Amino acid sequence: RIMPVRWSRYNPSYLEPEVKKESYQKPLEELTEEERQQRELKAVRPIKAAPATLSSSVFSDPMISKFTNMMMKSGNKVLARSLMSQTLEAIKRKQLEKYHRAPENEKETIECNPYVIFHQALKNCQPIIGLSNITKGGKTYQVPVPLTDNRKRFLAMKWLITECRDHKHRRTMMPEKLSQELLLAFNNEGPVIKRKHVLHKMAEANRAYAHFRWW
Amino acid sequence: AKHTEQHEGRLYNIPLEEVKAVFPHGLPQRFQQQIQTFNEARVMVRKPALELLAYLRGSNFTHPAVRYVIYGERGTGKTMTLCHVVHYCSRQGWLVLHVPDAHLWVKNCKELLQSSYNKDRLDQPLQASVWLKNFKTSNERFLQEIKTQKKYMWGKRESTEEGRPLGEVVEQGLARVRSASDAVGVVLREVKQQSHRGSFRLLVAVDGVNALWGRTTLRKEDKSPVSPEELTLVHNLRKMVRNNWSGGAIVTTLSQTGSLFKPSSAYTPQELLGKEGFDALDPFVPIPVPNYSPREFESCYGYYLERKWLQHEKAHTEDGKAELQFLSGSNPRQLDRLAGPL
């Protein structure tokens, strides 16, 4: 039985684990004073257990792991990760086929890297301003409110996943649906971008209530 | 490529028309996707394949057919070596009997008919007709040249006379799906008898040969399990694999992935064939297929880079390469799966 350690309360003297290979390969001369103190502290103090999602591989990406966690259902990370890798492969295949069929002058404009496409699509889907319910004098108003970066990323990923799960044909596979959505979002088309624009329009329409916000 | 290579680790190109003609049904799924994405079929030349080709070139065709069994761990390229050999032989002009996966004949069959030819046996019309169609596309010219030597009756009214080309038998099997497995049996028997004379060489290439001697997942209508001898297709194939004919070679592959009721760590001929199979195949030449050597790994990595399959920025660095080698353990299948999302 695996006992959960990470979410238990650690003594404040425990330090976070350091995963990056490069930080251990620096010779002593290049370190500044603070870094040398950090090193000595690490030699003495106990260190927290590293979470299973943290990896020292060069190929790991925090956004991708966040997305896989959001796609995961009932703790089935194996399935979520395989779906994610199949999605990336599907995107790569589609783009490569387009690339090989395109004439010479268009070849440079076609982006084949699935990671670049993923990040750009997420950026295109992030809303700039959000709405929140504020109750004043018995009535609830939808007030336009600025969003933090984390909230923006979360909303973009959530919209992508719900779009794929709900509005597509039942028999299509998730990697296919996701790759289609990501490619559309990359080109600023598709239903997720539309949802973002609808939100922006609502916020613009409710501009009058903006002064209800007190933060 | 003219196949006189002593270059190990290089990749050679097969023109796409030949691929469609020679391999209507033989290539693994991932490889077919790869052909579609890159618009070319590139097969790596490896030591086991070179060994096999050397043996085939030097073999004496008046002796009984020699049996070669390709074995190895999961995902090391056994099916690809078989396809390499099949392509070589078809280039040389041999008649190729390629069975893509014998496990498909032994599980997941929707229709089982009682055979009209022999009361005990069971027919499989679907699989037989699919195989006949693919056989037709791969060996067009032989179907005109080979003539039948006996009269065959299909049911009460149709019969094939002596001296008719084999193409007619194949047409008959495709048209009358009920007697398709009998048509397959006829084709195999004719081809075996006529390879003695030496007008053509015969290559029997069977992938997943351990299916012929294991158990099946099929059941008869009274829910009793079917053993492989009761299937006409399997029976005929076993007769082909026995080496009582001359003028060709038999190349087979063991496969654990499709095998039924065998543990996943089994890869040697002894374990996978079982006692029956091992005795039946007994004097054979075993050909082990190992994982990629460092040179082969580098050539594969270079090919992916050149074809822009590895798109991740870090994949181009030394660290990335070392990591790929470590994670895949130089296993071709793992490397392929890892390089997919990267």
Side-chain angles (χ1 to χ4, degrees):
Chain A
R1 244 201 123 209
I2 308 176
M3 296 303 294
V5 170
R6 189 70 187 170
W7 308 122
S8 48
R9 289 172 47 173
Y10 279 107
N11 196 344
S13 64
Y14 278 62
L15 307 168
E16 295 285 331
E18 172 69 50
V19 179
K20 288 196 301 207
K21 253 197 297 194
E22 289 88 22
S23 62
Y24 290 116
Q25 280 164 357
K26 275 195 211 160
L28 270 171
E29 296 82 29
E30 286 185 29
L31 299 177
T32 56
E33 277 304 315
E34 309 171 349
E35 286 184 337
R36 267 177 234 203
Q37 281 169 3
Q38 274 289 330
R39 279 272 180 97
E40 283 181 28
L41 205 59
K42 282 203 171 193
V44 180
R45 293 282 187 86
I47 305 187
K48 293 188 200 176
T53 48
L54 201 61
S55 86
S56 67
S57 142
V58 276
F59 300 125
S60 60
D61 189 1
M63 294 272 256
I64 302 267
S65 20
K66 231 338 163 240
F67 197 74
T68 20
N69 286 343
M70 286 181 72
M71 262 210 304
M72 171 166 66
K73 277 190 179 176
S74 48
N76 197 346
K77 180 88 108 189
V78 173
L79 187 62
R81 199 171 138 147
S82 70
L83 285 176
M84 192 71 213
S85 51
Q86 282 168 36
T87 317
L88 292 170
E89 197 178 328
I91 298 179
K92 197 171 27 163
R93 264 188 220 276
K94 286 187 192 167
Q95 291 295 97
L96 271 181
E97 280 178 18
K98 243 168 66 179
Y99 180 86
H100 284 302
R101 254 167 246 164
E104 280 303 323
N105 48 352
E106 280 180 26
K107 275 200 178 176
E108 287 160 7
T109 50
I110 298 182
E111 177 61 55
C112 285
N113 192 340
Y115 291 88
V116 165
I117 292 184
F118 179 75
H119 288 286
Q120 188 59 40
L122 265 188
K123 246 193 268 182
N124 290 351
C125 287
Q126 282 176 9
I128 307 177
I129 193 169
L131 291 174
S132 88
N133 303 347
I134 295 190
T135 328
K136 190 149 175 174
K139 277 170 55 170
T140 34
Y141 300 99
Q142 299 274 346
V143 176
V145 107
L147 299 170
T148 61
D149 267 339
N150 277 338
R151 179 81 186 153
K152 286 182 198 169
R153 271 191 290 251
F154 171 77
L155 277 176
M157 292 198 249
K158 186 87 179 173
W159 288 344
L160 273 172
I161 296 179
T162 37
E163 172 63 41
C164 283
R165 279 187 187 158
D166 302 334
H167 299 307
K168 301 280 176 184
H169 184 61
R170 180 181 67 95
R171 292 270 290 188
T172 38
M173 298 281 128
M174 186 71 172
E176 261 180 58
K177 298 189 271 202
L178 246 190
S179 55
Q180 213 184 16
E181 282 301 319
L182 283 170
L183 283 170
L184 287 174
F186 178 69
N187 298 327
N188 272 322
E189 299 152 354
V192 195
I193 301 286
K194 233 169 98 173
R195 191 165 166 176
K196 174 183 95 155
H197 288 326
V198 157
L199 184 64
H200 284 177
K201 278 187 204 149
M202 286 280 290
E204 186 60 35
N206 285 5
R207 233 175 112 154
Y209 300 126
H211 64 281
F212 281 166
R213 180 174 62 95
W214 61 85
W215 62 92
Chain B
K2 266 298 163 188
H3 297 268
T4 48
E5 295 123 324
Q6 264 72 39
H7 340 292
E8 190 196 315
R10 301 259 198 97
L11 299 131
Y12 81 92
N13 226 331
I14 314 181
L16 282 173
E17 299 84 21
E18 272 198 42
V19 165
K20 267 187 236 162
V22 174
F23 294 118
H25 58 176
L27 299 168
Q29 264 263 314
R30 293 284 297 191
F31 192 64
Q32 278 172 354
Q33 284 176 350
Q34 197 181 345
I35 294 182
Q36 236 218 330
T37 321
F38 297 157
N39 255 350
E40 62 178 6
R42 275 240 160 133
V43 178
M44 190 185 280
V45 174
R46 298 178 72 192
K47 251 207 203 112
L50 285 175
E51 253 187 73
L52 248 184
L53 296 180
Y55 291 152
L56 284 175
R57 261 178 242 141
S59 55
N60 186 348
F61 293 108
T62 45
H63 290 321
V66 188
R67 289 187 278 230
Y68 304 96
V69 173
I70 307 178
Y71 71 99
E73 301 236 333
R74 269 213 256 182
T76 52
K78 305 181 280 274
T79 316
M80 289 310 291
T81 19
L82 192 72
C83 295
H84 185 102
V85 172
V86 161
H87 184 230
Y88 171 79
C89 294
S90 63
R91 267 285 184 95
Q92 300 271 317
W94 295 32
L95 175 66
V96 169
L97 266 170
H98 186 38
V99 175
D101 196 358
H103 293 296
L104 294 173
W105 290 357
V106 144
K107 54 179 177 175
N108 299 342
C109 177
K110 300 281 161 88
E111 292 177 11
L112 273 181
L113 293 175
Q114 250 224 331
S115 161
S116 50
Y117 180 69
N118 188 339
K119 278 289 148 40
D120 297 328
R121 298 202 209 133
L122 297 162
D123 262 359
Q124 280 155 315
L126 289 171
Q127 277 97 344
S129 54
V130 160
W131 189 81
L132 277 175
K133 208 164 62 170
N134 292 324
F135 181 67
K136 206 169 108 174
T137 39
S138 55
N139 298 321
E140 299 260 4
R141 61 191 182 94
F142 285 108
L143 296 175
Q144 275 22 312
E145 290 174 4
I146 309 177
K147 311 283 179 203
T148 56
Q149 280 167 345
K150 223 177 88 168
K151 190 167 165 206
Y152 296 104
M153 301 285 299
W154 313 108
K156 287 186 206 149
R157 273 161 237 156
E158 290 120 15
S159 66
T160 314
E161 310 294 325
E162 258 186 62
R164 308 291 274 154
L166 249 189
E168 282 211 12
V169 176
V170 177
E171 300 291 329
Q172 180 72 39
L174 282 174
R176 297 255 168 277
V177 184
R178 287 185 144 237
S179 51
S181 344
D182 294 327
V184 170
V186 164
V187 161
L188 292 182
R189 184 192 292 174
E190 286 302 316
V191 156
K192 195 159 105 166
Q193 282 169 353
Q194 298 193 8
S195 68
H196 274 293
R197 291 198 242 125
S199 53
F200 59 88
R201 307 266 179 74
L202 179 62
L203 176 78
V204 179
V206 185
D207 200 345
V209 83
N210 44 336
L212 299 178
W213 286 282
R215 289 152 61 184
T216 61
T217 36
L218 307 172
R219 284 174 184 254
K220 288 186 265 211
E221 277 171 8
D222 48 352
K223 307 275 177 101
S224 58
V226 174
S227 79
E229 287 99 21
E230 297 176 27
L231 294 168
T232 27
L233 290 173
V234 174
H235 187 87
N236 292 327
L237 208 58
R238 280 199 203 179
K239 281 194 270 185
M240 283 310 282
V241 170
R242 276 170 62 199
N243 59 354
N244 45 4
W245 49 280
S246 66
I250 307 175
V251 184
T252 63
T253 315
L254 294 179
S255 156
Q256 199 283 325
T257 34
S259 73
L260 301 159
F261 308 106
K262 290 275 183 305
S264 61
S265 54
Y267 74 95
T268 53
Q270 178 73 29
E271 291 164 349
L272 280 175
L273 286 172
K275 196 162 178 314
E276 272 184 40
F278 199 79
D279 294 331
L281 272 187
D282 206 341
F284 64 82
V285 178
I287 301 185
V289 179
N291 283 326
Y292 277 158
S293 69
R295 208 176 136 188
E296 287 171 343
F297 178 82
E298 293 205 12
S299 95
C300 192
Y301 178 74
Y303 175 57
Y304 282 151
L305 280 183
E306 186 214 1
R307 277 277 135 189
K308 298 189 199 277
W309 185 236
L310 290 172
Q311 285 275 332
H312 195 111
E313 312 82 33
K314 293 286 174 63
H316 299 278
T317 58
E318 283 294 321
D319 277 340
K321 185 169 158 189
E323 191 161 326
L324 273 179
Q325 185 161 20
F326 174 69
L327 281 175
S328 65
S330 299
N331 189 322
R333 182 185 285 179
Q334 286 301 328
L335 180 63
D336 186 35
R337 285 174 116 188
L338 280 173
L342 285 175

